Amino acid sequence: MKVTYTGAAVLAAGAVAAPSNTVKAPRKAAAACESAVTLDASTNVFQDYTLHANTFYREEVNAAVEAITDAALKEQAAKVADVGSFLWLDTIENIARFDPAVEDLPCENILGLVIYDLPGRDCAAKASNGELKADELDRYKTEYIDPIVEKIKANPNSAFALLIEPDSLPNLVTNIDLATCQESETSYEEGVAYALENLNLPNVVMYIDAGHGGWLGWDDNLDPGAEELAKVFKAAGSPSQVRGIATNIAGWNSWDEEPGEFSEASDAKYNSCQNEKTYVQKFGAALDAAGFPNHAIVDTGRNAVTGLREEWGDWCNVDGAGFGVRPTADTGDELVDAFVWGKPGGESDGTSDESADRYDEFCGKPDAYKPSPEAGQWNQAYFEQLLQNANPQF
């Protein structure tokens, strides 16, 4: 199998694994801004703010460092703790992660938060199914979104970048034939619209998840995908703080590899988006035509090595992966605001235990790392693999 390392090296019906639920105290107090923050979502806020290295992932990495015996690898691992990444508020209980993260947030940083608890979550996968049933939209609104809104309102002097509901709307485009996705359709559309409308606060910028080039990037999916996102955006009243989309979240796609990882596949002629750069350009044009903001953030957290997957849709704990380009606003593309770390590298995508209730067959495929624990749980060996295969190296 061809293996290629890329400078900013899918989850086609892929699950996004929810991180674990331990809440750690902040390492130190940090000063918020002296006055209220107002973010202009018509501009790239990542040119003015640095994605925050949140306390939750920092403590996970620090614990991992202690478990490493090789001195050189240990030194490299310690540096991962200083990398900015998004904090996942993936259950009602885990909203509690918000407070220590904000206490640790300096004025020059922006806290990345993943909003991820829709009813019937991840309707096309088992590994990261959520806590709310498909018909529990009211709970999503009152017990999940509303408390987050209140916490952000209570911190007007801090800046927040929100990644809205990974996998949700893309599943309605490509997996609506599944009964589970049909049952979730109303809750997905109304839930995302409710989140966008109520999180539309002056110190917030929002990016709606749009899958990746191997998912909505297929020629037949570009326009329907853009129309689905635009439909929900307009249902929310076209909120001013929506900047655009998030792509490759928890994914493996290269940013700009040419001709592309799956360019030699028999069906490649049906997908011209063989890397995320092309996907952002082509999908961005479709978004613009549909009346949706067409800027993007792209996850480069685990995409340093390509040529590892058997097909686009292999999303679970890809074996041989490496940490990719660190978060930066220097993307070289006017449509891409920043490369970010959306998925906390080291946390499992799903268990490889075939007897587990949440086992998904994608986590047992030949290109998936084994053994792997339940989604969101820490996998020390996989973290060390990501570190060893990092490009650039730490």
Side-chain angles (χ1 to χ4, degrees):
M1 182 178 296
K2 178 184 177 185
V3 177
T4 305
Y5 285 78
T6 64
V10 183
L11 248 95
V16 175
S20 53
N21 60 5
T22 303
V23 177
K24 307 293 197 307
R27 69 188 188 284
K28 63 179 181 179
C33 300
E34 295 181 356
S35 59
V37 170
T38 300
L39 300 179
D40 182 358
S42 69
T43 67
N44 179 8
V45 302
F46 288 98
Q47 292 180 341
D48 299 317
Y49 292 88
T50 299
L51 183 62
H52 187 55
N54 68 75
T55 52
F56 187 81
Y57 188 51
R58 176 181 290 277
E59 292 302 324
E60 285 187 315
V61 172
N62 286 342
V65 171
E66 293 303 312
I68 296 174
T69 56
D70 181 89
L73 192 63
K74 193 182 191 79
E75 182 179 359
Q76 291 178 342
K79 297 177 181 178
V80 179
D82 293 325
V83 177
S85 64
F86 275 73
L87 176 65
W88 291 61
L89 307 182
D90 54 283
T91 64
I92 293 168
E93 179 184 359
N94 285 344
I95 297 172
R97 295 174 179 171
F98 182 100
D99 291 338
V102 172
E103 289 175 20
D104 187 57
L105 181 67
C107 181
E108 66 271 15
N109 286 9
I110 188 167
L111 181 61
L113 299 174
V114 180
I115 306 301
Y116 184 55
D117 200 25
L118 274 174
R121 190 178 73 192
D122 275 351
C123 60
K126 293 178 64 176
S128 50
N129 292 158
E131 63 183 345
L132 300 179
K133 297 177 182 178
D135 60 357
E136 292 188 304
L137 180 59
D138 285 343
R139 288 193 64 197
Y140 176 75
K141 293 178 178 180
T142 60
E143 297 180 39
Y144 182 70
I145 293 297
D146 289 354
I148 295 174
V149 170
E150 290 308 309
K151 285 183 176 295
I152 294 177
K153 285 182 176 179
N155 290 274
N157 294 11
S158 296
F160 300 92
L162 307 185
L163 197 169
I164 306 296
E165 294 294 353
D167 288 3
S168 58
L169 300 184
N171 268 325
L172 297 186
V173 177
T174 63
N175 294 308
I176 197 61
D177 57 318
L178 298 177
T180 48
C181 292
Q182 293 170 10
E183 294 167 359
S184 299
E185 182 177 11
T186 298
S187 289
Y188 278 23
E189 293 183 338
E190 292 186 11
V192 172
Y194 185 85
L196 296 178
E197 181 177 3
N198 288 274
L199 291 165
N200 191 50
L201 303 170
N203 55 332
V204 164
V205 63
M206 292 182 279
Y207 297 86
I208 304 177
D209 183 76
H212 54 79
W215 191 347
L216 296 186
W218 293 86
D219 297 349
D220 288 345
N221 293 341
L222 287 168
D223 287 341
E227 290 163 4
E228 176 65 27
L229 266 65
K231 172 186 174 182
V232 175
F233 171 69
K234 292 173 183 177
S238 301
S240 62
Q241 299 307 105
V242 174
R243 172 68 174 170
I245 60 171
T247 82
N248 205 40
I249 299 302
W252 318 93
N253 292 359
S254 166
W255 162 241
D256 61 359
E257 178 182 327
E258 293 289 353
E261 184 174 359
F262 294 98
S263 59
E264 297 180 4
S266 60
D267 57 1
K269 62 183 178 181
Y270 303 113
N271 184 347
S272 58
C273 298
Q274 290 287 321
N275 58 50
E276 291 303 287
K277 183 175 183 177
T278 303
Y279 176 54
V280 168
Q281 293 169 345
K282 289 183 175 290
F283 194 59
L287 289 171
D288 188 51
F292 184 95
N294 66 340
H295 290 83
I297 54 174
V298 178
D299 192 348
T300 58
R302 305 186 298 177
N303 73 342
V305 188
T306 61
L308 301 170
R309 292 171 294 171
E310 294 182 343
E311 56 186 2
W312 280 117
D314 292 357
W315 52 266
C316 191
N317 302 316
V318 173
D319 196 8
F323 285 123
V325 167
R326 291 6 147 217
T328 178
D330 185 14
T331 66
D333 190 312
E334 65 179 3
L335 291 182
V336 180
D337 290 345
F339 298 137
V340 301
W341 280 21
K343 166 75 177 185
E347 293 181 353
S348 177
D349 294 320
T351 181
S352 58
D353 180 1
E354 296 182 13
S355 66
D357 289 341
R358 290 161 64 90
Y359 172 74
D360 191 294
E361 63 181 9
F362 280 89
C363 300
K365 296 191 71 172
D367 54 11
Y369 185 91
K370 307 175 193 67
S372 289
E374 290 281 357
Q377 294 183 6
W378 191 258
N379 189 334
Q380 180 71 17
Y382 195 73
F383 171 76
E384 293 181 24
Q385 180 185 93
L386 290 170
L387 186 62
Q388 291 166 335
N389 294 338
N391 187 20
Q393 282 284 317
F394 281 88

